[in-house]
Amino acid sequence: MKATKQKNMDKSEHGPLNRIPVQALSLRLARTPIRMQHAQTWRIDKINPVHDLVFCLTGKARYRVGEESFVLHEGEAMLIRARERFHGVHGGGDDYTGVAQHFTLDLFGRADLIDQMHLQRRVKLRDWSVLHPLIVHYRTMAATTSPTLVQHHQFMVLLLAFLDDAFLGWREEGGPACQPGAALAADHAARLRPCRRPAERGCAGKRRWSAFPITAIISAGRFASASA
């Protein structure tokens, strides 16, 4: 028990998002939470324009996303990325219940953070005993018109818990070779700061931000925060 607790603490302390400044992330809930209550006749075939995070509270469902097929059980969560087609059917037995949330998560307002990460599709949530009551509350209190401030912060907790458990590595392919160290951070920090003179307007947009390795973007943000 002690070894497991220490392992969980170590993973939290060295998680993939610990290097990202608090002000760097911009979360947007694309709609109100979806309160899932599905009988055995339920099925779905859909594509969403934004990311979709699904938490299973009871029952089970069979999903196919791309070439992957799996069963989602109680205590598990799965991520369906934006523009991915997915199919789902009831997994048999009791009602399949849970909550789903459509969202976007931007880094420094420039890059989709989810697109920069290699993630497991489905995970058994490590801190289920802690997250379960929050997910139940999040589902029960879901607004019917538009997401609330409270829901925004509650979902950020759930999302970060999922990312911490699902993270496999950063995607850095496709970016130009960049010099390491302070010079790199200073270069990117300069691109983060707004242009001060009219002649400089548009200078930050000359190179696509998404072309830079994610580690360089994070370093730039930390440098800019420290220099502010």
Side-chain angles (χ1 to χ4, degrees):
M1 177 66 73
K2 289 183 178 180
T4 301
K5 184 177 181 180
Q6 183 62 45
K7 182 178 179 181
N8 289 344
M9 289 177 63
D10 291 343
K11 184 172 182 179
S12 296
E13 291 175 0
H14 303 288
L17 303 180
N18 286 355
R19 295 178 56 201
I20 299 178
V22 173
Q23 69 275 19
L25 295 180
S26 177
L27 172 67
R28 184 180 72 87
L29 305 186
R31 56 155 297 163
T32 56
I34 301 170
R35 289 183 282 196
M36 302 188 304
Q37 181 84 39
H38 301 313
Q40 293 191 12
T41 55
W42 172 80
R43 63 182 58 248
I44 191 171
D45 180 355
K46 192 175 182 181
I47 300 175
N48 290 315
V50 294
H51 305 303
D52 186 7
L53 186 58
V54 180
F55 297 92
C56 178
L57 287 171
T58 65
K60 60 185 177 180
R62 300 182 184 278
Y63 284 94
R64 186 172 79 253
V65 186
E67 300 300 317
E68 300 178 70
S69 297
F70 54 88
V71 178
L72 191 69
H73 296 90
E74 176 183 346
E76 295 181 333
M78 71 165 180
L79 175 71
I80 302 170
R81 294 177 183 267
R83 299 172 296 280
E84 281 190 319
R85 185 166 190 169
F86 66 98
H87 306 262
V89 296
H90 193 280
D94 297 334
D95 281 1
Y96 168 46
T97 70
V99 64
Q101 180 65 64
H102 298 176
F103 72 97
T104 61
L105 186 66
D106 291 338
L107 180 64
F108 296 112
R110 303 287 187 126
D112 184 328
L113 182 62
I114 301 300
D115 283 347
Q116 309 303 317
M117 306 174 83
H118 286 296
L119 298 167
Q120 291 179 243
R121 171 77 63 190
R122 168 181 57 103
V123 296
K124 186 171 184 62
L125 295 167
R126 183 183 63 210
D127 296 326
W128 180 243
S129 61
V130 175
L131 297 173
H132 178 264
L134 177 57
I135 296 171
V136 171
H137 180 75
Y138 186 74
R139 179 180 183 274
T140 302
M141 302 303 293
T144 57
T145 53
S146 60
T148 66
L149 179 63
V150 172
Q151 288 172 349
H152 180 279
H153 290 289
Q154 287 176 338
F155 181 70
M156 179 63 92
V157 173
L158 299 176
L159 174 59
L160 293 179
F162 171 81
L163 294 178
D164 194 41
D165 286 349
F167 183 76
L168 297 174
W170 294 109
R171 292 178 171 176
E172 295 191 355
E173 67 274 8
C178 295
Q179 71 275 22
L184 171 63
D187 175 68
H188 290 290
R191 296 174 186 278
L192 281 174
R193 292 194 293 269
C195 298
R196 296 180 182 275
R197 298 190 298 272
E200 293 176 342
R201 288 175 185 167
C203 63
K206 289 183 179 179
R207 296 177 71 184
R208 289 181 58 199
W209 186 265
S210 59
F212 292 109
I214 187 67
T215 50
I217 297 176
I218 295 172
S219 297
R222 290 173 62 87
F223 181 89
S225 299
S227 302

